[in-house]
Amino acid sequence: MCVCVFIFIMISLMLVLISALSVSAQPRPCEAPAQYVGSMSLSAADGIVTSAATYSYDAQRQQIRFRNHMNILNETILTDLLIHFQQGVLYEIDYSRLSCQKKALESTFHPTRVPADAVFLGQVILGTSSVPGLGLLSNSWVGEIAEIQAQYMLTFAEFTCLPISASVFTPSTGWMAISFYNHLLGVHNPQDFVPPFFCPTSQQDQHLPKTHFLKAVGLMR
């Protein structure tokens, strides 16, 4: 009888310990590296809208270069944006016409990260764990952004916290599926963040047309 009670207590303690370890091992919201470059693709409106983009991201100086090739039905829209959040300006660049429009940016910088109030959904390995180096451990999160009435599911890499994919719904855009890939750490071309010589630099900011970051990159009307 005493032996059975002792075994029952030991099993109970082991279950408590395993449960505690499982809770402590649950991933927490993370933030991506301060500087990296990458590519992304987007599909929205049941495939009516598709795009492929490259971007340079610099959280230290709060600046982004975003080049996008978007297709809407039979129309192609090319976008080249240089965004300086600290200065509160955005440049719309067109090298084919050597034209550049400077706009006042009505957005603050938000680093690439899992929102603090996101709910952890699960953890999976992309690829295979059978061979070392051929699997990517990733975490998925769900949540809402009240500011733009958005619902989202995000997937980030466990060890680098680089974005992998996002499914986002807003009333103005419907569902959007976004994939991120080809990431390289660091700033590979510092000139990405320098306005071309044909961009205006002396125009008074109070007289500039205004825009919003999500509107400029085509994620919000």
Side-chain angles (χ1 to χ4, degrees):
M1 182 69 177
C2 293
V3 173
C4 292
V5 171
F6 175 76
I7 293 175
F8 175 79
I9 292 174
M10 291 301 296
I11 292 175
S12 299
L13 290 173
M14 289 177 64
L15 290 174
V16 170
L17 178 61
I18 292 172
S19 176
L21 289 173
S22 298
V23 171
S24 64
Q26 178 170 306
R28 297 181 179 181
C30 60
E31 184 170 321
Q35 295 177 327
Y36 65 92
V37 300
S39 302
M40 61 175 283
S41 61
L42 176 146
S43 177
D46 295 325
I48 295 175
V49 179
T50 60
S51 75
T54 60
Y55 58 92
S56 299
Y57 171 86
D58 182 2
Q60 292 180 356
R61 296 176 178 82
Q62 298 187 7
Q63 52 191 4
I64 295 174
R65 184 67 177 266
F66 182 81
R67 299 177 176 93
N68 190 31
H69 185 287
M70 179 177 289
N71 292 305
I72 303 176
L73 294 176
N74 294 323
E75 182 182 5
T76 299
I77 302 173
L78 301 178
T79 305
D80 188 349
L81 304 176
L82 172 57
I83 307 148
H84 288 167
F85 287 91
Q86 287 183 340
Q87 289 80 18
V89 295
L90 178 147
Y91 298 91
E92 293 184 352
I93 303 166
D94 186 345
Y95 275 96
S96 65
R97 295 184 176 92
L98 292 183
S99 66
C100 179
Q101 186 173 13
K102 184 179 180 183
K103 295 184 177 181
L105 185 64
E106 295 184 315
S107 307
T108 56
F109 180 77
H110 295 280
T112 302
R113 64 185 176 192
V114 178
D117 59 352
V119 177
F120 177 64
L121 184 62
Q123 187 175 73
V124 298
I125 294 176
L126 302 177
T128 177
S129 59
S130 299
V131 180
L134 295 187
L136 176 65
L137 187 61
S138 63
N139 302 318
S140 294
W141 311 78
V142 294
E144 298 181 355
I145 305 175
E147 179 185 0
I148 56 174
Q149 298 180 308
Q151 302 173 22
Y152 63 79
M153 182 175 76
L154 309 174
T155 301
F156 278 69
E158 162 69 13
F159 297 114
T160 60
C161 197
L162 286 167
I164 298 172
S165 66
S167 296
V168 183
F169 174 84
T170 71
S172 62
T173 62
W175 281 102
M176 296 179 290
I178 308 171
S179 297
F180 303 90
Y181 48 92
N182 289 344
H183 288 129
L184 296 172
L185 297 181
V187 173
H188 288 252
N189 184 8
Q191 290 300 310
D192 273 349
F193 303 114
V194 178
F197 69 92
F198 50 85
C199 282
T201 56
S202 58
Q203 188 175 353
Q204 295 298 317
D205 289 352
Q206 61 266 28
H207 302 305
L208 294 174
K210 298 179 181 179
T211 189
H212 188 281
F213 173 70
L214 293 178
K215 180 180 179 180
V217 299
L219 296 182
M220 188 178 75
R221 295 192 183 98

